[in-house]
Amino acid sequence: MEPIEIVGYAAAVLTTISFVPQAAKIIKTKDTKSISLGMYALFSIGVLGWLIYGIVTRTLPVVLANGVTLCFASVILTYKIKYK
Amino acid sequence: MEPIEIVGYAAAVLTTISFVPQAAKIIKTKDTKSISLGMYALFSIGVLGWLIYGIVTRTLPVVLANGVTLCFASVILTYKIKYK
């Protein structure tokens, strides 16, 4: 694997797992006051778009990264709607 | 342009601009209590990785999307550190 490919995979892992501490924080505290509803609405639709793009173009890393990110983003969006 | 490419570009625009309402919200309120420091630390490093990947592989859409996203994520991270 080329060194730059390692950078790409590390970047994909980091941006995907970054949503874990945010989801964990709001599940624990149920406090979503400073979270932006607009952000998670736009972001979730965007990640769904990436997931569709990955499925249609058969790009497995895009499918995996965006499938996992969509799960976390959906949890955050659901909590934001539920606990305004 | 293939229809799936339009989906890809729309997804890139949505995930990039999604950080604007979040940044605007915390600039306005200076309230970052429910924002996760861990998320924005990991996410910013990840997006920087994507930016480096895009520069090295000379992939302009990756450079543009991640360059802009890094600006917004850095603003949110800075506010989170400043207004805990």
Side-chain angles (χ1 to χ4, degrees):
Chain A
M1 199 186 286
E2 297 277 326
I4 192 61
E5 284 183 57
I6 297 167
V7 173
Y9 278 106
V13 170
L14 280 171
T15 51
T16 300
I17 63 164
S18 68
F19 290 88
V20 175
Q22 182 66 78
K25 187 181 176 86
I26 63 170
I27 288 169
K28 195 178 164 191
T29 63
K30 293 187 176 61
D31 173 19
T32 65
K33 198 169 165 240
S34 48
I35 299 286
S36 162
L37 176 63
M39 169 179 163
Y40 282 94
L42 294 173
F43 188 79
S44 299
I45 298 167
V47 172
L48 179 64
W50 275 123
L51 182 60
I52 293 166
Y53 179 88
I55 291 167
V56 173
T57 61
R58 293 167 187 252
T59 319
L60 188 62
V62 174
V63 173
L64 285 178
N66 288 286
V68 175
T69 304
L70 186 59
C71 294
F72 298 138
S74 302
V75 169
I76 297 167
L77 181 61
T78 305
Y79 267 72
K80 177 63 190 176
I81 292 167
K82 203 170 167 188
Y83 303 100
K84 282 185 196 176
Chain B
M1 199 187 285
E2 297 278 325
I4 193 60
E5 284 183 58
I6 297 167
V7 173
Y9 278 106
V13 170
L14 281 171
T15 51
T16 300
I17 63 163
S18 67
F19 290 89
V20 175
Q22 181 68 79
K25 188 181 175 85
I26 62 170
I27 288 169
K28 196 177 163 193
T29 63
K30 293 188 176 62
D31 172 18
T32 64
K33 199 169 165 241
S34 49
I35 299 284
S36 162
L37 176 64
M39 169 180 163
Y40 282 93
L42 293 174
F43 188 79
S44 299
I45 298 167
V47 172
L48 179 64
W50 275 123
L51 182 60
I52 293 167
Y53 178 87
I55 292 167
V56 172
T57 61
R58 293 164 187 254
T59 318
L60 188 62
V62 174
V63 173
L64 285 178
N66 288 285
V68 175
T69 304
L70 186 59
C71 293
F72 298 139
S74 302
V75 168
I76 298 168
L77 182 60
T78 304
Y79 268 72
K80 177 62 190 176
I81 292 166
K82 204 172 167 188
Y83 303 100
K84 282 184 199 178

